[in-house]
Amino acid sequence: SNEFRMCFTDPAQGTKSAEFIGKHKLATKVAVLYDSSADYNSGVNDAFVAAAEDNGLEVVADEAYTADSNTDFSVQLKKIKDSGAELLFLPNYYSDNALILQQAHDAGMDDMKKFGVDGMDGILGVENFDTSLAEGVMLLTPFSATSDDEKSKAFVDAYEAANKDEVPNQFAADAYDVIYAMQLAANDAGITPDMSNEDISAAMSASMLNIELDGLTGKAKWTEDGECDKEPKAFEIKDGAYVEMQ
């Protein structure tokens, strides 16, 4: 393959979330509430449920909604509350999750941990959302502009200076890492300007399997099928900011 990916596939986020929750002993009984009408949400859900048992997790409730019913989650939340789950996994985009967090709070579910994936990134910017409801929410995402990691800080400062104070998102961080991965592969392959495009492509593809990038979005290596193998990063929302979880 001549295609190499920097970010996780959607299902990989489900698998990596189950691994992270299990490894860090965040919960043993988990529930999921997801949009079954969307490929992203259901793909992450299916992979999470498939990986749960291997990571010491019991899925005690796996509740769905659709794009036609994404305003009232009371029935699903009651089942989840009654299930004895210690953690609620929310593989949805932040707009739905903001409503879910509000209704979970109204249902007296503040003690249940909440964990999302990269679609949760943006929850603090939702209009009219009480951000205190996101306090303690955890999410698997490769990058946060508010991280106090030195590398991230330097990138955010440079990006804002070059883009009229626009704050970079995870896709900007992915693109940044892509350039440095290409540089590592080109150096490893000994690329020279006189080589043909075909030779460069073949040499770079072979070298992608040799390199390891210590990037903004984590330490990355690549497999023969072009997938990026890196440790998942997770953040917890504390005092209205993303703090990286160790």
Side-chain angles (χ1 to χ4, degrees), residues 2 191-204:
N2 290 347
I191 299 297
T192 55
D194 56 338
M195 290 169 68
S196 70
N197 287 347
E198 290 77 14
D199 288 349
I200 290 174
S201 177
M204 291 274 285

Side-chain angles (χ1 to χ4, degrees), residues 166-240:
E166 183 187 323
V167 178
N169 59 19
Q170 61 180 327
F171 305 113
D174 278 333
Y176 182 85
D177 278 357
V178 164
I179 300 299
Y180 283 95
M182 289 172 70
Q183 181 191 25
L184 282 177
N187 289 348
D188 182 81
I191 299 297
T192 55
D194 56 338
M195 290 169 68
S196 70
N197 287 347
E198 290 77 14
D199 288 349
I200 290 174
S201 177
M204 291 274 285
S205 295
S207 284
M208 283 298 293
L209 307 182
N210 300 337
I211 64 168
E212 182 167 346
L213 173 75
D214 188 1
L216 282 177
T217 63
K219 281 196 166 85
K221 291 194 290 197
W222 283 266
T223 59
E224 282 187 14
D225 57 4
E227 290 299 337
C228 185
D229 180 22
K230 58 185 167 186
E231 272 288 299
K233 271 191 187 184
F235 292 85
E236 183 175 355
I237 297 174
K238 286 185 183 170
D239 301 324

